[in-house]
Amino acid sequence: MSRPRKSPAADPGNAVVVERQRQVLAPPPLYQVVMLNDDFTPMEFVVFVIQRYFAKDFETATQIMLKVHQHGRGVCGVFSKDVAATKVEQVMAAARQAGHPLQCVMEAV
């Protein structure tokens, strides 16, 4: 933001010098989208969702699905807050539409 400053060499009532102040912007906070395990959602559906909404290839999607299955949770990606929230909603809507209890959440990194 710039801040006006009066120049001492100029007529005090007519001149204004603007100094530029450097702004330091922090990067936006990131959020990871985490899929949670359940005993009812088919593994094939989980792989499909990961491929479709997180643009992962079949092998990567399968590895994430196995992590969800074996460890109870798996990170599908890291995004800005708005993108992560959208991904969570897309996954939850697809699961509801297919009749699966799949859960997906976002967590601050």
Side-chain angles (χ1 to χ4, degrees):
M1 184 100 207
S2 297
R3 160 176 71 116
R5 182 182 65 136
K6 294 185 178 183
S7 173
D11 182 8
N14 296 329
V16 174
V17 175
V18 177
E19 289 181 356
R20 189 173 290 231
Q21 291 182 342
R22 187 176 188 124
Q23 290 183 345
V24 178
L25 300 176
L30 296 177
Y31 292 81
Q32 59 187 8
V33 177
V34 180
M35 211 168 279
L36 305 176
N37 189 38
D38 64 69
D39 294 331
F40 303 102
T41 305
M43 293 179 182
E44 295 81 13
F45 181 76
V46 175
V47 171
F48 165 76
V49 166
I50 293 169
Q51 285 182 289
R52 178 163 183 182
Y53 297 107
F54 299 96
K56 303 294 184 186
D57 61 68
F58 180 77
E59 294 299 321
T60 304
T62 302
Q63 291 300 317
I64 295 169
M65 177 276 297
L66 288 172
K67 186 156 188 164
V68 171
H69 180 68
Q70 294 169 350
H71 299 283
R73 55 190 281 128
V75 177
C76 298
V78 178
F79 309 95
S80 65
K81 186 175 185 178
D82 292 340
V83 172
T86 300
K87 299 280 186 191
V88 168
E89 183 53 40
Q90 289 173 327
V91 169
M92 297 296 291
R96 279 192 307 266
Q97 185 176 5
H100 300 303
L102 181 65
Q103 294 293 307
C104 188
V105 297
M106 61 187 249
E107 300 173 345
V109 175

